[in-house]
């Protein structure tokens, strides 16, 4: 429905996972206008690089379990999968801050129960508020993601509303 300009940011060390800001100024006005027509706005953008074969620890892109979403675009990383987990009863979340100063939460693998897997591609609407992990395929994976704001609530967009807003664009996997 709208063109998306993938950022071309340098990765300082291709042997390690890399996380950086994807600046709003690098997103096209056409893309931001398309979101605006859907009652949404860009809160922030993020850019990730993951080396071949690497797994990112199970985590939530929030300080607590929630149903917030991001739009992700991926280049490379063919065969990569995302797994979602539920916290086992009595287990506790731990909190931390990313290299770009965003909050996230995580749990030890033994405190998690696997609930769903999907092969990831591009573009994707992803529930990042639930605990999830990414298992990279055999090629480098670059991801640009957009944190979406709900123009009505002025909060991060949540899954149920995102499904309605993007219903004409979604193919469930």
């Amino acid at each position: 429905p709208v063109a998306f300009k993938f950022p071309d940011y340098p990765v300082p060390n291709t042997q390690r996972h890399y996380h950086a800001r994807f600046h709003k100024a690098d997103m096209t006005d056409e893309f931001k206008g398309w979101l605006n027509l859907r009652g949404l706005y860009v809160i922030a953008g993020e850019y990730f690089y993951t080396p071949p074969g690497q797994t990112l620890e199970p985590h939530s892109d929030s300080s607590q379990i929630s149903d917030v979403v991001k739009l992700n675009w991926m280049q490379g990383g063919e065969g990569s999968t995302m797994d979602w987990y539920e916290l086992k009863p009595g287990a506790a979340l731990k909190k931390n801050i990313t290299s770009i100063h965003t909050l996230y939460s995580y749990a030890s693998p033994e405190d998690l129960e696997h609930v769903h897997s999907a092969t990831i591609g591009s573009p994707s609407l992803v529930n990042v508020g639930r605990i999830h992990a990414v298992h990279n395929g055999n090629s480098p994976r670059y991801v640009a993601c957009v944190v979406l704001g709900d123009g009505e609530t002025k909060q991060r967009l949540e899954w149920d509303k995102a499904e309605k807003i993007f219903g004409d664009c979604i193919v469930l996997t």
Side-chain angles (χ1 to χ4, degrees), residues 15-165:
Q15 301 304 307
R16 298 178 49 132
H17 176 72
Y18 177 68
H19 185 199
R21 292 269 181 211
F22 171 23
H23 303 285
K24 290 182 202 180
D26 293 338
M27 298 176 200
T28 66
D29 290 339
E30 178 188 13
F31 171 71
K32 291 182 276 191
W34 179 77
L35 290 175
N36 189 260
L37 288 173
R38 292 172 181 266
L40 305 173
Y41 61 96
V42 175
I43 293 175
E46 297 174 271
Y47 180 76
F48 298 92
Y49 167 80
T50 307
Q54 193 173 89
T55 297
L56 301 180
E57 70 178 350
H59 66 282
S60 165
D61 293 10
S62 181
S63 61
Q64 60 190 15
I65 303 297
S66 67
D67 283 312
V68 296
V69 301
K70 289 182 179 174
L71 280 177
N72 284 7
W73 286 262
M74 182 174 90
Q75 289 184 345
E78 291 79 10
S80 296
T81 59
M82 187 174 289
D83 294 315
W84 284 268
Y85 302 87
E86 292 289 338
L87 201 57
K88 290 180 180 176
L93 281 178
K94 301 167 191 163
K95 296 179 171 92
N96 208 341
I97 298 175
T98 69
S99 59
I100 62 167
H101 309 289
T102 57
L103 292 172
Y104 73 98
S105 53
Y106 65 100
S108 301
E110 61 271 9
D111 291 336
L112 299 172
E113 184 173 329
H114 182 264
V115 295
H116 183 72
S117 293
T119 300
I120 50 178
S122 187
S124 301
L125 178 66
V126 182
N127 185 331
V128 296
R130 296 288 169 174
I131 298 173
H132 59 284
V134 176
H135 308 284
N136 199 26
N138 293 324
S139 65
R141 185 173 62 93
Y142 300 84
V143 176
C145 68
V146 177
V147 180
L148 298 170
D150 181 333
E152 184 179 8
T153 65
K154 305 298 184 217
Q155 301 292 318
R156 286 180 69 177
L157 182 63
E158 294 198 354
W159 183 260
D160 288 345
K161 191 165 186 179
E163 278 189 303
K164 292 175 185 151
I165 291 170

